[in-house]
Amino acid sequence: PSGSILVLVKSLNNMITLRYNAAGTLLNTGVYDSGVTNDDDPAKILYANNATYVVGTRPASTGRQTVLVKYNNTLVQQWALLTKMSTGATNDFVKDMTIDTSGNVYVAGDHFNTAYRPFVYKVTPAGTRPWSRKVTYNNMSPMKIFTDNNAQPFFYGDGAPDRCPLSGGAQPRR
C-alpha cells in the first residue's frame, strides 16, 4: 500500500506478513499457518491491486509443495492455494512470482527428481489455477518470471535460453 512497508518473515510454524507505515509503526499482521510445525518457508511478497500476495513452500504428504496466499489491504487472508507440481517424494521450490495487469499471479519454480525441471502456474485474482506447466528443459532453474504487454509469461533461468516463452519454443507440458 502507498507509504507502507511490507515485511515477510518466517516463524517456527508460520509465514508472517507485517505492514508498517513510513514512521515504522506496525499497522497490520497477516499470518499463514498450515498447521504443521516448522514447515512454511516464505519466498516472495508482492503488492498489487489492493492485495498482498505471499508465496512459499510447505510440506506435502510427500516432499514439499508451493503455497500462494492472498491478503486484502489490511492483511486479512482471502485465500490460500496449495500446488504440488512434482510427483512422489520430490520437492517443489519457488523461485519467483509476478502479477500481470489483470491481477493474475504467475509463480515460477522448479522441482528435482533426476534433474531440475522448471514449472510455472497461473492463478486468477479469485484464487483459481487455470493452467500449470512443467517445462521440458532439464537441469534448468527459473530465476525471474515476467509477463509482456499481452500477459504472455516468460522466464529467465539458470541454464535456459535468454527468454523462455511458455508456448512455442519451450514446449510446455500439462
Side-chain angles (χ1 to χ4, degrees), residues 50-53 68-81 125-127:
N50 292 315
T52 299
Y53 295 88
L68 175 63
V69 183
K70 179 181 179 180
Y71 295 101
N72 70 10
N73 203 30
T74 59
L75 297 182
V76 174
Q77 184 177 315
Q78 304 301 292
W79 48 257
L81 179 68

Side-chain angles (χ1 to χ4, degrees), residues 19-83:
R19 180 176 162 231
Y20 294 90
N21 67 14
T25 303
L26 180 64
L27 300 174
N28 308 104
T29 303
V31 178
Y32 172 77
D33 181 2
S34 65
V36 181
T37 302
N38 196 24
D39 63 339
D40 303 318
D41 293 318
K44 188 160 185 179
I45 185 170
L46 288 175
Y47 179 82
N49 305 317
N50 292 315
T52 299
Y53 295 88
V54 174
V55 68
T57 59
R58 57 150 292 172
S61 57
T62 59
R64 295 188 71 76
Q65 63 189 341
T66 66
V67 57
L68 175 63
V69 183
K70 179 181 179 180
Y71 295 101
N72 70 10
N73 203 30
T74 59
L75 297 182
V76 174
Q77 184 177 315
Q78 304 301 292
W79 48 257
L81 179 68
L82 302 173
T83 302

Side-chain angles (χ1 to χ4, degrees), residues 15 30 72 78 88 92 103 117 144 162:
M15 289 191 306
N72 70 10
Q78 304 301 292
D92 290 356
R117 291 232 145 142
K144 180 73 180 154
D162 288 339

Side-chain angles (χ1 to χ4, degrees), residues 20-174:
Y20 294 90
N21 67 14
T25 303
L26 180 64
L27 300 174
N28 308 104
T29 303
V31 178
Y32 172 77
D33 181 2
S34 65
V36 181
T37 302
N38 196 24
D39 63 339
D40 303 318
D41 293 318
K44 188 160 185 179
I45 185 170
L46 288 175
Y47 179 82
N49 305 317
N50 292 315
T52 299
Y53 295 88
V54 174
V55 68
T57 59
R58 57 150 292 172
S61 57
T62 59
R64 295 188 71 76
Q65 63 189 341
T66 66
V67 57
L68 175 63
V69 183
K70 179 181 179 180
Y71 295 101
N72 70 10
N73 203 30
T74 59
L75 297 182
V76 174
Q77 184 177 315
Q78 304 301 292
W79 48 257
L81 179 68
L82 302 173
T83 302
K84 178 89 165 135
M85 294 295 294
S86 58
T87 57
T90 58
N91 294 318
D92 290 356
F93 301 100
V94 172
K95 300 297 183 174
D96 198 21
M97 163 177 65
T98 194
I99 301 171
D100 69 18
T101 56
S102 298
N104 297 302
V105 179
Y106 299 85
V107 175
D110 61 30
H111 62 92
F112 185 83
N113 192 347
T114 58
Y116 283 100
R117 291 232 145 142
F119 64 79
V120 175
Y121 60 86
K122 175 183 178 178
V123 180
T124 68
T128 61
R129 193 182 71 215
W131 60 259
S132 60
R133 302 283 187 271
K134 292 181 185 177
V135 183
T136 58
Y137 292 110
N138 282 331
N139 291 320
M140 190 217 110
S141 182
M143 303 307 283
K144 180 73 180 154
I145 187 167
F146 64 98
T147 58
D148 64 14
N149 293 336
N150 299 315
Q152 170 68 43
F154 292 84
F155 65 85
Y156 289 104
D158 180 23
D162 288 339
R163 182 172 160 155
C164 289
L166 292 172
S167 60
Q171 300 304 314
R173 299 182 302 164
R174 283 204 181 259

